Amino acid sequence: MGKRRFFNTTGPCNPEDHYMLPPEERLVGAQLHRYIKDKLYWVLHAPRQTGKTTFLQSWAREINADSEAVACYVSVERCQGVAEPERAMPDICNAIREYSGWAGLAVPETTTTEPNSMLSNLLANWSVLVAPKPLIVLFDEVDVLVDDTLISFLRQLRGGFADRGTGKFPVSVALVGMRDLKDYIIKAKDGKAVNPGSPFNIKEDSSVLGNFTKKDVIKLFAQRTEETGQQITREALDYVYEQSKGQPWIVNSLFKRATLRILDNESNETVTLEHVMLARQQMIEARETHLDALGVRLRDPGVKKVIQTIITGSTDPLGRTDSNVELTLDLGLISWDKENGFMIANPVYEEILTRYLNSPYHDSIPSPSSWKWQKDNGELDMDRLLHEFLKFWRRHSEIWEEKADYTEAFPHLLLTAFLQRVTNGGGHIEREYAAGRGRMDIAVEYAGKCYIIEVKVVYYYDTPATVKEEGLEQIRAYRDRTDASAPAYLVIFDRRPEAKKLSWDEKISWTMDETGLVNVLTC
């Protein structure tokens, strides 16, 4: 048996080693054939780990194989954060020389040391070297360039644009990164706004690289089935798509763990839902680099504003014209649809972001061994567990909140951290939240039983009675949709200024609704 390919999660994919789908099929708004034929410059943007580099490198190979033009992939990531052109431009030129050498192409040289003309000089010299073929350059990670370096880079490209042509200057240039070009050409180093017509008013298109469709997910694993005979159940495929919403890295990671770690790579055992669910759990607990990097993004003040609004279900208006929303969309952290509005992009990210934000609380909560949270038969005693939470909230919430970063979402995060402290290793938590919902829905599964929790907040513009009435209606609907037999709990946090003046005995209560089916906790 020959070497088996595998699902890749580290670096660009190549068809010899990895199962992969042609990334160009996921391009939205791009007309690749025109960019060369009509000598056009264009922009491609998409979140990290969606296949941009794989696309660029495979397209460069395809162009060079046709022998009608010369194409080279170049990453400028080494210049991240370098604001001075005199430092950055020599590095960019060195990158061009290195990548052209690795690709087996003619290696250009500069004939100037002036940083604000060095790049254009090199590109012109390179065009002469590869003539009579036209030159195409695919610049990756362009959005890491900042301030005067970014402006100089773009102005040098624009300066050669008018004379572009075979033997003169690259006929086509792609600028690729996480964000659209218009989003990161904002200000020059001195803080003055950049003229809207400058420095790069020559792009033809701004294209995006979309996620996998459900059919793509099926087609991707079908390559393994065709090659090895290994099957996967439809339930497992549906779960992969539902958890990832087609995010390419997550899809590949779930398939990779299921076929390489849960099962052996040489195994032909059918991949089941249980295998993929275990793969998801391992992936999240491992905090792999891509997922951990998402957590770091939560420190950005703009991202914080958007994510906190979604976690709390706040009705604060979020629109695509808001630069913070655009940033968070471009990072791939959130998505928007007609039914739910803005929400976390997929359930895996939802779990990762929540764990990242509540980890300081989770790690500091005392061991559950001292709590009365489990019945004699091993089932979860949710009543006792939530009584323990109310006790913990009463004793520690005021002190802990003073140190909280996401203050508006503090109640939600502390409660989920408390629940995670118990369910880790013995169950799991599913959360649903989106901007404008005014709530967080939680489904806790433990020892084969489901428990429904609805989290509501009373703000200064609400009354406890109104929020309780609304919450009861929402939790009944959520319970009917999830598990009509599940015990239900409505947890209401009173965040009004006047509530702070009340004693703890006045603030904390536990009652039942009039049907006797929903426990109502206020604190």
Side-chain angles (χ1 to χ4, degrees):
M1 181 183 295
K3 175 186 174 183
R4 287 190 173 189
R5 293 188 293 168
F6 59 92
F7 297 99
N8 182 42
T9 57
T10 54
C13 296
N14 68 75
E16 292 182 2
D17 297 322
H18 311 130
Y19 301 114
M20 60 176 290
L21 300 174
E24 59 269 22
E25 294 180 359
R26 293 186 284 120
L27 285 177
V28 180
Q31 298 177 307
L32 298 180
H33 63 286
R34 286 189 57 235
Y35 299 147
I36 300 173
K37 179 173 65 72
D38 295 342
K39 299 188 290 186
L40 302 173
Y41 288 16
W42 63 294
V43 172
L44 171 64
H45 65 100
R48 290 202 182 279
Q49 302 290 352
T50 53
K52 299 187 298 296
T53 301
T54 294
F55 158 69
L56 293 172
Q57 293 184 353
S58 68
W59 192 39
R61 289 192 295 267
E62 181 182 325
I63 293 170
N64 291 328
D66 288 342
S67 300
E68 297 295 325
V70 171
C72 190
Y73 166 90
V74 178
S75 171
V76 297
E77 187 175 15
R78 67 182 65 185
C79 297
Q80 181 169 5
V82 180
E84 304 82 14
E86 58 270 21
R87 291 175 54 207
M89 287 304 157
D91 275 350
I92 291 174
C93 291
N94 286 335
I96 290 173
R97 283 189 281 266
E98 289 174 11
Y99 279 100
S100 59
W102 293 336
L105 306 176
V107 178
E109 296 295 337
T110 56
T111 53
T112 180
T113 58
E114 168 54 46
N116 288 319
S117 60
M118 185 180 296
L119 174 63
S120 58
N121 175 266
L122 182 78
L123 293 175
N125 293 343
W126 199 6
S127 298
V128 172
L129 281 178
V130 303
K133 295 180 180 180
L135 175 64
I136 298 145
V137 186
L138 311 176
F139 285 109
D140 200 3
E141 307 285 355
V142 174
D143 53 345
V144 307
L145 303 180
V146 296
D147 300 330
D148 284 357
T149 292
L150 174 62
I151 301 305
S152 177
F153 176 84
L154 297 175
R155 282 181 174 151
Q156 291 187 61
L157 291 178
R158 189 190 63 177
F161 179 79
D163 294 326
R164 71 195 185 283
T166 302
K168 297 179 179 179
F169 205 75
V171 300
S172 183
V173 170
L175 303 182
V176 184
M178 286 195 298
R179 307 205 65 194
D180 195 356
L181 188 66
K182 65 181 176 62
D183 295 326
Y184 56 85
I185 303 180
I186 299 175
K187 291 189 176 181
K189 184 179 179 182
D190 60 7
K192 295 179 181 178
V194 176
N195 185 315
S198 172
F200 202 74
N201 57 354
I202 54 175
K203 70 169 184 176
E204 174 71 11
D205 290 324
S206 283
S207 305
V208 297
L209 193 63
N211 284 340
F212 290 149
T213 64
K214 197 168 187 176
K215 288 183 179 178
D216 288 335
V217 174
I218 295 170
K219 285 166 58 178
L220 183 63
F221 197 92
Q223 293 183 14
R224 182 171 178 86
T225 301
E226 182 178 358
E227 187 174 284
T228 70
Q230 187 174 38
Q231 302 288 326
I232 185 171
T233 66
R234 187 54 187 254
E235 271 187 325
L237 284 170
D238 289 344
Y239 183 79
V240 168
Y241 181 75
E242 181 57 34
Q243 289 296 308
S244 67
K245 299 303 181 185
Q247 205 285 333
W249 186 91
I250 299 177
V251 172
N252 276 282
S253 182
L254 291 173
F255 283 158
K256 180 179 180 178
R257 283 187 173 272
T259 56
L260 276 178
R261 301 190 183 186
I262 310 301
L263 299 173
D264 185 88
N265 193 38
E266 301 302 317
S267 171
N268 281 349
E269 181 181 341
T270 297
V271 176
T272 66
L273 175 61
E274 289 70 25
H275 294 138
V276 178
M277 290 178 70
L278 183 55
R280 177 190 184 274
Q281 179 182 335
Q282 289 184 358
M283 177 181 69
I284 289 172
E285 291 176 354
R287 291 185 63 164
E288 296 189 55
T289 302
H290 168 61
L291 298 179
D292 215 26
L294 297 176
V296 176
R297 291 288 180 179
L298 298 176
R299 300 171 187 167
D300 182 285
V303 172
K304 173 184 172 180
K305 175 180 180 293
V306 175
I307 297 299
Q308 186 160 242
T309 297
I310 292 174
I311 290 177
T312 60
S314 171
T315 55
D316 289 348
L318 293 179
R320 289 177 183 269
T321 56
D322 185 325
S323 61
N324 296 321
V325 173
E326 285 200 50
L327 168 63
T328 315
L329 282 167
D330 286 346
L331 293 173
L333 292 174
I334 66 172
S335 61
W336 182 91
D337 64 41
K338 292 181 180 178
E339 180 179 351
N340 297 299
F342 289 104
M343 56 193 303
I344 305 301
N346 57 66
V348 168
Y349 283 3
E350 196 169 77
E351 180 74 11
I352 287 294
L353 299 186
T354 303
R355 283 176 177 250
Y356 185 91
L357 291 174
N358 72 20
S359 62
Y361 316 130
H362 175 277
D363 297 344
S364 300
I365 291 172
S367 169
S369 61
S370 61
W371 307 338
K372 299 176 181 179
W373 59 270
Q374 199 169 29
K375 298 179 180 178
D376 292 340
N377 62 2
E379 291 182 358
L380 183 65
D381 190 334
M382 184 60 80
D383 282 16
R384 286 190 172 185
L385 177 59
L386 290 178
H387 274 297
E388 291 288 346
F389 173 75
L390 290 179
K391 188 188 304 181
F392 189 86
W393 178 263
R394 179 171 184 158
R395 291 176 177 174
H396 303 289
S397 62
E398 291 180 347
I399 297 174
W400 283 29
E401 186 173 0
E402 291 177 0
K403 302 175 182 179
D405 188 19
Y406 278 57
T407 53
E408 290 298 317
F410 172 70
H412 309 71
L413 296 172
L414 185 59
L415 176 58
T416 55
F418 204 87
L419 295 171
Q420 276 175 214
R421 196 76 167 89
V422 168
T423 59
N424 279 350
H428 69 274
I429 301 173
E430 296 289 342
R431 306 169 189 82
E432 290 185 16
Y433 41 72
R437 282 186 175 180
R439 68 188 194 273
M440 174 191 279
D441 301 326
I442 303 174
V444 179
E445 187 278 328
Y446 192 91
K449 291 193 66 175
C450 184
Y451 307 83
I452 302 301
I453 301 174
E454 184 98 13
V455 181
K456 297 282 289 182
V457 176
V458 186
Y459 293 108
Y460 69 92
Y461 49 78
D462 280 322
T463 66
T466 301
V467 171
K468 177 181 176 181
E469 181 180 356
E470 184 180 67
L472 287 172
E473 182 179 345
Q474 291 168 340
I475 194 171
R476 288 164 187 157
Y478 181 55
R479 183 172 177 266
D480 289 344
R481 177 164 55 88
T482 307
D483 184 342
S485 65
Y489 302 83
L490 173 61
V491 182
I492 301 174
F493 294 94
D494 195 341
R495 308 289 278 174
R496 297 173 301 152
E498 55 264 40
K500 295 182 179 180
K501 301 175 184 178
L502 301 175
S503 69
W504 278 109
D505 288 339
E506 291 174 301
K507 285 192 287 189
I508 291 182
S509 67
W510 185 312
T511 60
M512 296 293 293
D513 74 332
E514 63 274 12
T515 68
L517 297 176
V518 181
N519 298 269
V520 182
L521 293 69
T522 59
C523 51

